[in-house]
């Protein structure tokens, strides 16, 4: 495969920065600027846009991770370290002062599921929370004691339901920012223990 073909693959198979990416980056950076983390993780980094902004604007070392190998390649092209990983699986315990995730959140009928990387980027399963739920179940393990999670959710995903799932894992939640669009409202939740 040529370099050009590789580049086309990366563009069509990797989620590119959109309103949700900008909202997550803006909210997390504003919150982190007072006390920048020394080490942060962006789960599901996609193009690496959010990770790069957090690194550039807070001075933190930010690691990106993604299930999608094309996303890891595109993130590394930006000069951001990237690890291919399923959620938090390979990471050491208690090391990240901030973890960010713009999760796949769209409720999707199983009959409409496609077998491609864009589906992995967008689909949150039938209730929209099929990736968020295991993330919430495991993110506490990798967080440093005073660490915080920045999670982008949508009214389509059920913000109250996500807050309840987080509470069951020992987190309290505050909404840092909201932005409304014709079919959904996006919210950035900050979760702390
Ligand atoms: C909505 S996109 C967000 C991309 C990027 N962070 C942004 O805001 O522009 C969700 C990303 O999560 C990744 N993802 C989905 N399931 C994952 C999993 N189990 N572990 C790691 N990454 C995952 C997808 O490949 C995709 O890149």
């Amino acid at each position: 495969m040529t370099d050009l073909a590789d580049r086309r693959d990366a563009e069509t198979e990797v989620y590119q920065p959109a309103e949700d990416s900008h909202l997550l980056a803006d909210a997390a950076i504003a919150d982190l600027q007072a006390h920048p983390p020394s080490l942060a993780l962006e789960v599901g980094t996609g193009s690496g846009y959010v990770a790069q902004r957090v690194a550039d604007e807070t001075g933190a070392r930010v690691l990106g991770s993604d299930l999608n190998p094309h996303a890891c390649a595109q993130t590394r092209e930006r000069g951001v370290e990237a690890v291919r990983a399923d959620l938090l699986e390979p990471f050491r315990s208690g090391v990240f002062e901030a973890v960010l995730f713009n999760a796949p959140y769209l409720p999707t009928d199983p009959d409409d599921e496609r077998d491609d990387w864009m589906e992995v980027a967008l689909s949150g399963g039938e209730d929209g929370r099929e990736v968020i739920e295991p993330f919430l179940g495991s993110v506490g393990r990798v967080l440093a004691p005073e660490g915080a999670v920045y999670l982008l959710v949508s009214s389509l995903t059920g913000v109250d339901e996500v807050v309840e799932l987080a509470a069951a894992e020992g987190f309290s939640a505050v909404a840092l920012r909201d932005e409304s669009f014709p079919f959904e409202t996006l919210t950035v939740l900050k979760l702390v223990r």
Side-chain angles (χ1 to χ4, degrees):
M1 191 182 283
T2 65
D3 283 353
L4 185 61
D6 277 344
R7 191 168 296 278
R8 282 206 196 100
D9 267 359
E11 280 165 11
T12 55
E13 299 195 55
V14 178
Y15 186 89
Q16 296 302 305
E19 291 83 356
D20 48 0
S21 325
H22 301 297
L23 190 67
L24 176 61
D26 290 346
I29 289 164
D31 194 68
L32 289 167
Q33 260 161 351
H35 302 287
S38 48
L39 183 62
L41 172 69
E42 191 205 358
V43 175
T45 195
S47 70
Y49 162 84
V50 174
Q52 185 177 38
R53 278 201 53 200
V54 174
D56 288 351
E57 295 177 45
T58 71
R61 177 183 171 197
V62 185
L63 202 61
S65 70
D66 209 292
L67 200 54
N68 178 352
H70 306 291
C72 294
Q74 207 170 108
T75 297
R76 289 188 197 111
E77 278 179 19
R78 287 181 183 270
V80 174
E81 296 169 89
V83 176
R84 189 175 184 204
D86 186 358
L87 296 177
L88 291 313
E89 207 269 326
F91 299 107
R92 286 176 50 198
S93 299
V95 294
F96 296 106
E97 289 139 67
V99 178
L100 296 86
F101 194 16
N102 177 9
Y105 63 71
L106 289 179
T108 310
D109 187 322
D111 293 338
D112 295 336
E113 290 265 1
R114 296 190 327 257
D115 186 18
D116 63 28
W117 288 117
M118 272 306 155
E119 195 72 25
V120 173
L122 297 171
S123 171
E126 269 190 279
D127 64 5
R129 298 186 291 277
E130 284 183 12
V131 182
I132 289 174
E133 195 164 351
F135 169 77
L136 290 172
S138 54
V139 69
R141 181 186 65 74
V142 303
L143 263 194
E146 304 297 320
V149 178
Y150 298 88
L151 179 64
L152 187 294
V153 290
S154 160
S155 49
L156 299 173
T157 322
V159 179
D160 290 346
E161 288 83 349
V162 172
V163 169
E164 272 174 35
L165 289 170
E169 301 294 341
F171 289 102
S172 57
V174 288
L176 293 181
R177 281 193 198 192
D178 289 319
E179 194 170 347
S180 291
F181 298 92
F183 299 105
E184 64 180 335
T185 297
L186 300 178
T187 300
V188 179
L189 294 176
K190 179 181 182 181
L191 309 176
V192 293
R193 291 180 288 204

